[in-house]
Amino acid sequence: MTSLEVRGVDVFYGDRRIIKDFTFRSKKGEFIGIIGPNGSGKTTLLKTMGRLLKPHVGVVLIDQTDIFSIGHKEFAKQVAAVAQDTTIDFDFKAIDIVLMGRNPHLGRLQMETVEDEKIARDAMEMTGSLDLMDRSINSLSGGERQRVIIARALAQQPRILLLDEPTSHLDINYQIETMELLKHLSNEGLIVIAAIHDLNLAAQYCDRLIMLRSGEAIAIGEPEEVLKAERIKEAFRCDVVVKRHPLTNVYYVAPLPKQNRSRPETGVRVHLICGGGSGASIMHELHDEGFRVSAGVLNMLDTDYEVAKVLGIETVVDAPFSPISEESYQANLRMMEQTNAVVIAPVAFGHGNVKNLDACQTVLEAGKCVYILQRSLDPDNDFTDGIAGDKLSTLIERGAVVIENIREMVDALLAPKTQ
């Protein structure tokens, strides 16, 4: 069984250590993604695996054999690489570029055979580039050239395929096709190791991920183990929300905007009734306008809860997928009583969170301003057989204000008070 092992490797450029004490082992049929910010060592690690750089310390092994003890031709039969820079100086036809992948299988001065040409054509068909075969390589777009270069690597018929940013220059359709192809190749037994800048593509297609930061592996494992919000912040220095996608059932990463107050704090407090992502943009808008925001009751792990944590917004929370407890209801009511206004986002109401509307009615009757976004009244958001709709109608009858957007509420709350 084919295996690739990197054991205790340090790699230097001059006197600067780029890869630090890296150890990793992959086996036949794995699709491994290398992720990390620019300058983290992704390309250097691939070059080390591909024998373009020799480690100062440690060793890279294929089937327990040091790669530097393998002959050049034999190594090229086992390992193919696709570099990030696909520039080619000579004006060959695309098919001729792909046929270069057959060189390790040819004898000295031997010409390509009919079988070699078939293998090259098959590789181009697999990458969706067969229609480009008679085109000059320098007449192709960046994405077209990328597919031809991947076809050349496949024409080598390697056991290990190394790729540096294989979806760069590709539109979204070809990004997906390329990742589907690489996944198919790994399912057929190839070891595929790729540096990937798109965390969501990496999460969807890779069996395991290596996360690098400053040349060190800070995490190696399955996507759900590696793609933790706090770890991504450590590596990339940005805030994200990590969730499992309801359709694909794989983890996805959503970056959050940098915290930025466009105005000084107003001293006005607003409480937000939200959930399921309905309040994320509202939190950002109110936060940026200088309001002191709170939210609840939310379920832990809810997208709005994650956004609130990042923005430092005070929340009342309950356990995931549980209805609002009496304790949380009372805590939320106390929080709402301390605010100047309450706003109801276009959240989907079910039997688990409809008690939030009861709290709104209590504070409304106590003289608090309650604002309801127009979209909150959409019947498609009511999963309580009309109970939530009736409660919203009652709030409006008793003085809650329906608004088209948050700007209306902001203007109303910041308007000068008349004597």
Side-chain angles (χ1 to χ4, degrees):
M1 178 180 290
T2 303
S3 66
L4 174 68
E5 182 178 359
V6 184
R7 187 184 296 170
V9 158
D10 282 2
V11 182
F12 284 73
Y13 282 135
D15 60 356
R16 183 184 173 202
R17 186 167 64 162
I18 306 300
I19 300 296
K20 306 170 185 176
D21 192 24
F22 181 82
T23 295
F24 174 73
R25 180 183 175 89
S26 59
K27 62 182 185 296
K28 180 179 180 179
E30 275 197 302
F31 187 179
I32 308 297
I34 305 174
I35 59 175
N38 293 338
S40 61
K42 300 187 297 295
T43 298
T44 300
L45 182 57
L46 283 173
K47 287 182 176 180
T48 304
M49 294 177 181
R51 213 168 71 164
L52 294 176
L53 292 173
K54 188 170 184 177
H56 282 56
V57 178
V59 65
V60 181
L61 306 168
I62 294 178
D63 296 338
Q64 299 302 310
T65 301
D66 186 339
I67 60 173
F68 282 93
S69 69
I70 303 172
H72 290 288
K73 202 165 197 178
E74 184 58 33
F75 183 79
K77 289 180 182 179
Q78 297 190 52
V79 180
V82 176
Q84 190 172 8
D85 183 3
T86 59
T87 303
I88 294 175
D89 294 330
F90 299 99
D91 200 20
F92 293 105
K93 287 184 178 180
I95 183 63
D96 295 325
I97 297 294
V98 178
L99 279 168
M100 292 176 186
R102 299 303 300 157
N103 288 346
H105 301 271
L106 302 178
R108 189 176 182 182
L109 302 179
Q110 181 184 349
M111 298 295 293
E112 296 89 354
T113 65
V114 172
E115 179 64 18
D116 292 319
E117 292 180 359
K118 180 182 183 304
I119 291 170
R121 286 172 177 265
D122 288 345
M124 296 189 80
E125 187 168 11
M126 289 176 69
T127 58
S129 60
L130 188 58
D131 61 324
L132 307 173
M133 62 181 296
D134 292 322
R135 296 262 306 274
S136 160
I137 190 69
N138 290 325
S139 72
L140 304 181
S141 68
E144 291 170 333
R145 186 166 56 249
Q146 182 87 326
R147 285 183 277 145
V148 170
I149 300 303
I150 294 175
R152 181 179 67 182
L154 296 181
Q156 287 179 230
Q157 296 182 310
R159 296 191 295 158
I160 300 167
L161 181 60
L162 308 175
L163 307 102
D164 194 358
E165 306 284 8
T167 57
S168 62
H169 310 301
L170 301 180
D171 61 33
I172 188 168
N173 177 52
Y174 283 118
Q175 285 183 24
I176 293 171
E177 285 192 8
T178 298
M179 296 299 283
E180 293 278 357
L181 170 62
L182 297 179
K183 186 66 174 177
H184 169 74
L185 292 170
S186 69
N187 289 338
E188 292 293 309
L190 207 63
I191 294 175
V192 178
I193 303 177
I196 302 171
H197 74 275
D198 189 317
L199 299 183
N200 290 317
L201 283 177
Q204 183 159 350
Y205 290 99
C206 294
D207 299 307
R208 286 194 292 159
L209 298 177
I210 301 168
M211 182 179 285
L212 296 179
R213 185 197 61 182
S214 301
E216 295 183 89
I218 63 173
I220 299 176
E222 296 182 359
E224 56 265 35
E225 298 170 345
V226 173
L227 295 176
K228 305 290 188 183
E230 61 274 12
R231 190 172 286 137
I232 294 172
K233 183 172 184 177
E234 178 187 354
F236 291 86
R237 298 181 180 179
C238 68
D239 293 307
V240 299
V241 173
V242 181
K243 289 290 182 182
R244 190 181 289 276
H245 197 285
L247 296 180
T248 63
N249 200 38
V250 298
Y251 282 85
Y252 70 94
V253 178
L256 295 174
K258 297 286 186 183
Q259 296 185 40
N260 174 40
R261 287 194 185 274
S262 58
R263 296 185 181 182
E265 290 192 19
T266 63
V268 178
R269 298 183 61 168
V270 176
H271 187 84
L272 185 58
I273 303 295
C274 56
S278 64
S281 62
I282 299 172
M283 289 184 209
H284 280 287
E285 186 171 353
L286 293 175
H287 178 271
D288 292 349
E289 288 287 345
F291 288 91
R292 185 174 175 184
V293 187
S294 57
V297 177
L298 295 169
N299 288 124
M300 291 183 67
L301 306 182
D302 185 281
T303 301
D304 285 339
Y305 170 68
E306 299 289 344
V307 173
K309 278 202 308 181
V310 170
L311 295 177
I313 288 172
E314 189 177 4
T315 58
V316 176
V317 295
D318 253 325
F321 311 112
S322 64
I324 295 173
S325 66
E326 181 61 24
E327 182 181 2
S328 295
Y329 174 81
Q330 293 298 332
N332 197 43
L333 192 57
R334 290 193 295 272
M335 188 177 286
M336 294 166 74
E337 289 169 348
Q338 300 301 313
T339 61
N340 300 91
V342 176
V343 58
I344 300 173
V347 56
F349 283 106
H351 294 286
N353 67 341
V354 74
K355 285 180 71 174
N356 278 330
L357 295 179
D358 296 334
C360 289
Q361 184 169 323
T362 299
V363 297
L364 178 66
E365 292 173 350
K368 296 291 181 186
C369 296
V370 174
Y371 295 90
I372 303 173
L373 277 162
Q374 178 69 47
R375 287 176 294 141
S376 304
L377 304 177
D378 188 337
D380 289 340
N381 288 332
D382 187 350
F383 295 88
T384 62
D385 297 323
I387 295 173
D390 290 343
K391 290 180 183 293
L392 286 167
S393 296
T394 300
L395 287 171
I396 294 169
E397 290 170 4
R398 297 186 180 183
V401 179
V402 179
I403 54 175
E404 288 290 333
N405 52 60
I406 289 298
R407 186 75 249 169
E408 288 184 35
M409 184 192 73
V410 169
D411 291 342
L413 291 175
L414 296 182
K417 306 298 182 187
T418 56
Q419 298 295 328

